[in-house]
């Protein structure tokens, strides 16, 4: 295991300390908890946004704490949902009296832990709502299953709901726009290599030199198929066709695109993926309103990428355009 | 049967030992259809539980069980933390204030635990989860209640075991394993397994000294 | 070779197309050249900044083209300096009448190609100045050698000289402040893994599972030593001690810190490195004015990192603080 | 000797062939002490050169050489592009307007090429670069000028070879190899090697038909 770490047991704490030391103008840490909140939290009168999940997805989630996005990011152990007490502390620390929206990714553990935290907060009289992101079209959505996973599309929920809250939206309004994003966002990912959870010390699965996994989840959950290596254009074709089959967009519609690296893939390759994604959309007459290319929701050092499309309307466009100022996501 | 606080603490410690013994086994089961952390998470949680309750001998049984639940909730994480945490907290509520538990209390607290897990996880039997081991056990306990602690308990453990083994034959519909669909077939569910291990440990300690 | 590409021969062109498709509000490409310029180039009356080098260092250099930083980024083949004709086209396209500053990293090839381009531009009557960045303390600087290499510290030159130009500085002033940055910036890097140049198809060197290279250059040039894997804190200790031995900073001074990932190292690890770097500075009484953690000057998918310190004065602080809006570097 | 434009183009094509033949060899030398691209860059450049000059038979020799230089500059990149590019451009300037070159022109253009490389690269002999092959060759050419083309040229090639081999024994002070310091010892310089290869190809074509 080749990692720049000191001790697998303390990676999360040390990472959070490194973050607070890097960005004290943006964030602080709640003493005794793996919770990062806005330096100026709680912001009186503003709806507060709390997101979180397992660690290993950096810059998610604490990297999005700041003006125009999140009020708190809760960091669980690597790839493990944070516990309710941590989430509860986050809620208490950021509630500015206007209520708190929890942004949950659709994993059984995350859903249950956030739900318990919500119950705890409500017992203390804090107004709490929640939304669950499920953008990963790799997983079949049927009444028999727990539904799709939440992956990189979550970042658009942070951005847009964050802008709404920053603009003074009420809890119900912020929740409504978050749900609108969830309804209109779809993602799918793939991986060239596995990653190593520090505490495990070895990869959870293997891929040979000529194999890739399509539909990979962000914790190394299996995808929809394992295939021979494909060219970048074929990969994009495949991901985009699954996404476009599920998202009702047609010629004349406008979308935001996110090409997200999983940690080990260089920007050069992400840009090559974006070229093809953008060509496909152009051919279909779908207008790209904004594009984000970089690392937004990672899986440690996994090599691979995901593509996210968000169908826009005027409300979503103006909220997407709003400024944001956080350690990992800035928009002027 | 009469379980006072000291004995309850004792039983929980035995459960903790068994979970720790099976740390690798549970993790290995989870690596086949999940994310390879069930044993790690559970043993971390029970290590914290033992520390928390060791000198709670003066407290009532309800408080002890609730403390177990809250400790699991705040240390295990993932899916099993809230599930087992809720189970123990509900169990504690069911026997709130009692300094000694009898057989009827055992049945009520087990029923409450099951309800807690089903409430939290929204799973039904047959979805390849903890419920597949726990529900048949609780049913056996109720069904055999008239035949006395020993028979009922042995039968409950037997049913839990069958339920656990049955998880091999079904497709996961809840939790992380559900992403695998058909590919989850043939693998035993880690949560059902940890549940069986806990029930068996509890029964063994309760029936200690009784002929088996 | 596991890469999300289509054809090793066309990676640079496809990447640049992907970039222009992603960020049309910021940049455009010069038809027929691998040159990215500001969408609104030339900016009349503003000193223009041109940087560039081999590709494979993304987001360097084209990612820094935009308001408050560069006017053009010239992209050579992977790890190969661009040719003078490309640089010359860039100069012509961005000159707004106030002259052009070339920002060169100190490699023989880069220096000569930029110099020839400068001669060509001067023959056409364009006012051109240049600075050469040489921040890499891994390489001995002596009268016998070509001097130190230019690595991640270059990004601070882009930022600060870019801010000066944006503020209306004259060519001589912009050049002077760029030289002040160069005088006060030091970097050093290390690698856990090699990287693969697409056209080569295999790594240029190997490191075994328990080895790392300290002092690595950004093209896989050898470092100062190859050692057994060290813990993150030891790595930082080593890099910082070399940097601090060369940079005259003392208690009470203020610095900017950049913890730069080489492409394959996840943000979690970079933050863990920053924790230690920040602790070391704190212990010495050196104040961290601003910190940047992320990927700024990469080596394809190489796992590893570099640390850069820039000693600040009031002028550098105010220019560092100035807003910037580019695809890869934004500051509000 | 009398080299007209057609013959000059012919000589350059022979040089291009030799560089292409040695693509792997030059790259391999560069991988030991550089970045493993010298043969790749040079052959890419000469492929472009051949395309550019093939139908320049009507142009004067100076123009042809300048075109070679400009083409190398705009296709090779790295260090060798500007170096060899400048060399050919300067050589072209030295014989500007001439439709035929004699031995004296050859000496002048070689001198100009050497000056161009030294101006551009600021290297002196003994720093493990192209100069270590080129400078002794140019000196031999001048020294033996009185003895006629054949002797002078053979001697020049001989001196270039010695200079190239000498680069094994010295530490690099210029270019990418200089980062290696002591570790550059024992390795032959790729640029000195490509220079020798080019000189040898030129001499062979010029002396074609002469007994060796
Ligand atoms: N909705 C649910 N109801 C009951 N049990 C569940 C549910 N979801 C998951 N489980 C149980 O949780 C176990 C996995 O626990 P664990 O590995 O600790 O959590 P995670 O999946 O978050 O890593 C599964 O084997 C299953 O028995
Ligand atoms: N300053 C210089 N003067 C003369 N020749 C040089 C100089 N620097 C480098 N070279 C030559 O260039 C060769 C390397 O060329 P090449 O590999 O094409 O460029 P790069 O080092 O940019 O990859 C070296 O072997 C050396 O002979
Ligand atoms: Mg888990
Ligand atoms: Mg698990
Ligand atoms: Mg090179
Ligand atoms: Mg080279």
């Amino acid at each position: 295991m080749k990692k720049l770490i000191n001790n697998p047991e303390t990676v999360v704490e040390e990472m959070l300390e490194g973050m607070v030391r890097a960005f004290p103008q943006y964030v602080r840490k709640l003493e005794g908890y793996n919770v990062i909140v806005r330096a100026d939290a709680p912001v009186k009168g503003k709806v507060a946004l709390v997101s979180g999940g397992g660690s290993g997805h950096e810059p998610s989630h604490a990297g999005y704490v700041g003006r125009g996005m999140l009020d708190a990011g809760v960091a669980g152990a690597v790839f493990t949902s944070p516990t309710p007490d941590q989430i509860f502390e986050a809620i208490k620390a950021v509630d500015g009296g206007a209520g708190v929206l929890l942004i949950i990714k659709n994993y059984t553990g995350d859903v249950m832990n956030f739900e318990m935290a919500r119950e705890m907060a409500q017992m203390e009289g804090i107004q709490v709502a929640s939304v669950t992101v499920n953008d990963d079209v790799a997983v079949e959505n049927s009444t028999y299953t727990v539904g799709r996973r939440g992956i990189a599309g979550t970042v658009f929920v942070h951005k847009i709901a964050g802008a709404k809250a920053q603009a003074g939206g009420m809890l119900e309004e912020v929740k409504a726009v978050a749900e609108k994003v969830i309804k209109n966002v779809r993602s799918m990912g793939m991986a060239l290599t596995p990653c190593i959870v520090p505490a495990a010390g070895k990869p959870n699965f293997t891929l040979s030199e000529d194999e890739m996994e399509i539909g990979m989840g962000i914790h190394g959950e299996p995808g929809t198929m394992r295939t021979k290596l494909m060219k970048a254009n074929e990969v994009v074709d495949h991901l985009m066709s699954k996404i476009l089959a599920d998202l009702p967009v047609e010629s004349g519609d406008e979308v935001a695109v996110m090409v997200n690296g999983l940690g080990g893939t260089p920007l050069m390759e992400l840009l090559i993926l974006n070229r093809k994604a953008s060509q496909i959309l152009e051919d279909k007459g779908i207008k790209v309103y904004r594009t984000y290319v970089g690392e937004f929701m990672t899986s440690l050092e996994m090599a691979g990428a995901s593509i996210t499309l968000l169908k826009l309307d005027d409300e979503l466009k103006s909220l997407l355009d709003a400024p944001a100022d956080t350690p990992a996501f800035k928009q002027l | 049967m009469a379980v006072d606080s000291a004995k309850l603490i004792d039983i929980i410690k035995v459960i903790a030992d068994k979970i720790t013994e099976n740390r690798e086994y549970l993790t290995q089961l989870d690596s086949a259809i999940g994310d390879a952390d069930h044993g790690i998470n559970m043993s971390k949680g029970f290590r914290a539980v033992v520390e928390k309750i060791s000198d709670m001998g003066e407290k009532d049984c309800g408080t002890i069980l609730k403390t177990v639940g809250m400790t699991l909730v705040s240390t295990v994480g993932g899916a099993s933390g809230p599930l087992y945490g809720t189970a123990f907290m509900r169990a504690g509520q069911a026997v709130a204030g009692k300094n000694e538990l009898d057989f009827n209390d055992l049945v009520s607290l087990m029923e409450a635990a099951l309800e807690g897990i089903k409430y939290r996880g929204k799973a039904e039997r047959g979805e390849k989860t903890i419920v597949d081991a726990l529900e048949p056990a609780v049913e056996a306990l109720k069904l055999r209640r008239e035949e006395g602690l020993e028979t009922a308990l042995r039968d409950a453990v037997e049913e839990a075991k069958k339920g656990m083994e049955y998880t091999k034959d079904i497709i996961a519909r809840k939790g992380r394993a559900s992403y695998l669909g058909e590919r989850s077939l043939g693998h035993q569910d880690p949560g059902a397994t940890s549940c069986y291990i806990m029930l068996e440990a509890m029964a063994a300690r309760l029936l200690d000294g009784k002929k088996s």
Side-chain angles (χ1 to χ4, degrees), chain A, chain B:
Chain A
M1 174 175 61
K2 281 194 158 179
K3 284 186 190 290
L4 288 166
I5 62 173
N6 293 301
N7 176 350
E9 303 295 317
T10 56
V11 285
V12 176
E13 286 73 14
E14 291 185 16
M15 161 182 84
L16 296 177
E17 185 188 337
M19 177 155 206
V20 172
R21 283 177 172 271
F23 309 112
Q25 70 273 46
Y26 291 99
V27 295
R28 59 187 168 84
K29 183 173 174 294
L30 296 188
E31 184 67 35
Y33 295 91
N34 287 340
V35 174
I36 296 289
V37 301
R38 270 174 73 153
D40 58 353
V43 183
K44 285 274 163 278
K46 186 185 88 70
V47 170
L49 270 65
V50 174
S51 187
S55 292
H57 306 303
E58 292 67 32
S60 292
H61 302 83
Y64 302 123
V65 172
R67 232 187 112 75
M69 288 183 89
L70 303 180
D71 294 82
V74 190
V78 175
F79 292 177
T80 299
S81 162
T83 56
D85 53 316
Q86 303 265 340
I87 304 164
F88 179 43
E89 286 304 316
I91 294 171
K92 284 190 292 183
V94 300
D95 177 38
V100 178
L101 180 71
L102 306 182
I103 297 167
I104 311 171
K105 288 189 296 312
N106 191 31
Y107 299 94
T108 305
D110 288 64
V111 169
M112 292 191 298
N113 283 291
F114 274 86
E115 212 166 71
M116 290 185 79
R118 177 163 72 153
E119 290 166 9
M120 291 157 84
Q122 283 167 337
M123 287 197 292
E124 301 238 334
I126 303 176
Q127 211 191 333
V128 185
S130 71
V131 294
T132 307
V133 188
N134 62 347
D135 54 321
D136 187 353
V137 298
V139 175
E140 286 315 322
N141 199 3
S142 90
T143 42
Y144 298 118
T145 66
V146 294
R148 296 192 307 226
R149 302 176 291 216
I151 56 173
T154 310
V155 180
F156 282 133
V157 181
H158 295 168
K159 173 67 189 75
I160 287 172
K164 185 75 185 174
Q166 193 71 49
M170 312 272 287
L171 181 56
E172 276 318 301
E173 295 170 325
V174 176
K175 181 182 168 176
V177 82
E179 276 172 345
K180 193 198 258 188
V181 174
I182 293 168
K183 217 170 141 245
N184 287 287
V185 70
R186 302 290 187 285
S187 305
M188 186 160 159
M190 51 72 55
L192 293 175
T193 69
C195 61
I196 299 181
V197 173
K202 56 179 205 294
N204 193 19
F205 66 98
T206 52
L207 279 169
S208 40
E209 250 314 295
D210 63 344
E211 278 182 339
M212 63 203 297
E213 177 100 16
I214 305 279
M216 191 87 209
I218 54 171
H219 313 91
E221 302 98 329
T224 45
M225 64 173 187
R226 181 165 294 197
T227 72
K228 293 284 155 201
L229 282 184
M230 297 193 277
K231 285 187 193 297
N233 285 353
E234 296 172 273
V235 169
V236 175
D237 262 332
H238 188 92
L239 301 184
M240 289 289 285
S241 72
K242 293 276 276 185
I243 291 169
L244 289 170
D246 202 273
L247 183 69
V249 275
E250 53 193 39
S251 179
D253 284 343
E254 291 183 87
V255 295
V257 177
M258 176 175 284
V259 179
N260 170 57
L262 295 184
T265 286
L267 185 53
M268 171 186 271
E269 297 175 30
L270 300 179
L271 290 166
I272 290 174
L273 297 178
N274 180 63
R275 169 179 172 271
K276 180 66 179 176
S278 158
Q279 286 173 349
I280 291 172
L281 292 168
E282 185 177 288
D283 289 348
K284 295 198 184 298
I286 297 161
K287 191 175 164 253
V288 176
Y289 183 71
R290 260 185 194 272
T291 303
Y292 299 86
V293 183
E295 295 185 340
F296 298 96
M297 180 71 73
T298 61
S299 295
L300 296 168
E301 74 283 3
M302 187 178 284
S306 66
I307 295 178
T308 299
L309 293 191
L310 169 64
K311 184 179 165 188
L312 296 168
D313 62 10
D314 287 343
E315 182 190 25
L316 296 184
K317 273 171 14 183
S318 87
L319 292 168
L320 188 62
D321 286 345
D325 196 14
T326 75
F329 193 110
K330 294 184 174 66
Q331 198 159 280
L332 279 90
Chain B
M1 138 185 186
V3 172
D4 63 9
S5 295
K7 177 111 192 239
L8 180 60
I9 290 170
D10 196 44
I11 292 170
I12 292 162
K13 283 184 174 171
V14 174
I15 290 174
D17 286 346
K18 286 287 166 193
I19 288 292
T20 304
E21 262 172 47
N22 286 282
R23 185 175 186 272
E24 297 310 314
Y25 173 55
L26 292 170
T27 299
Q28 186 197 314
L29 289 175
D30 194 30
S31 93
I33 54 170
D35 58 351
D37 62 0
H38 187 58
I40 298 171
N41 297 347
M42 290 293 287
S43 64
K44 181 172 70 181
F46 271 101
R47 208 163 47 228
V49 161
V50 169
E51 236 173 67
K52 264 276 168 53
I53 62 164
S54 282
D55 32 64
M56 285 185 74
E58 305 300 295
K59 305 281 180 184
D60 68 89
C61 295
T63 303
I64 293 169
L65 288 167
K66 272 205 296 213
T67 303
V68 173
M70 280 160 53
T71 307
L72 291 177
V73 162
S74 65
T75 54
V76 176
S80 47
L83 289 166
Y84 282 122
T86 303
F88 276 93
M89 290 196 300
R90 292 285 181 96
Q93 271 164 25
V95 298
K98 301 209 172 184
N99 286 310
E100 221 178 72
L101 307 177
D102 62 17
F103 183 30
N104 281 330
D105 293 324
L106 178 68
V107 177
S108 337
L109 74 82
M110 290 295 297
E111 276 186 307
L114 174 63
E115 260 165 48
I117 284 188
K118 291 179 77 168
Y119 162 79
R120 183 61 63 207
K122 298 176 183 64
E124 296 298 322
R125 229 158 127 172
E127 299 192 314
K128 198 165 185 142
T129 71
I130 298 171
V131 175
D132 291 311
L134 189 56
E135 190 163 273
V138 175
E139 280 176 4
L141 216 52
K142 290 197 289 187
L143 206 70
R144 300 299 193 93
R145 187 198 292 245
E146 306 307 315
E147 297 168 43
L149 175 73
E150 191 172 338
T151 315
L153 212 48
R154 287 199 205 286
D155 210 49
V157 172
E158 192 51 42
E159 289 300 319
K161 190 174 186 189
K162 278 193 216 152
M164 166 187 89
E165 280 165 354
Y166 174 59
T167 61
K168 283 190 221 170
D169 304 333
I170 55 180
I171 293 178
R173 301 290 187 203
K174 286 279 164 3
R176 216 174 277 278
S178 67
Y179 306 135
L180 283 167
E182 301 266 315
R183 280 181 287 166
S184 67
L185 275 177
H187 298 283
Q188 183 171 309
D189 181 59
T193 308
S194 58
C195 179
Y196 164 71
I197 288 169
M198 289 162 70
L199 287 172
E200 216 230 347
M202 174 189 78
R205 191 73 192 78
L206 276 175
L207 302 178
D208 238 10
K210 312 239 161 123
K211 70 170 200 295
S212 70

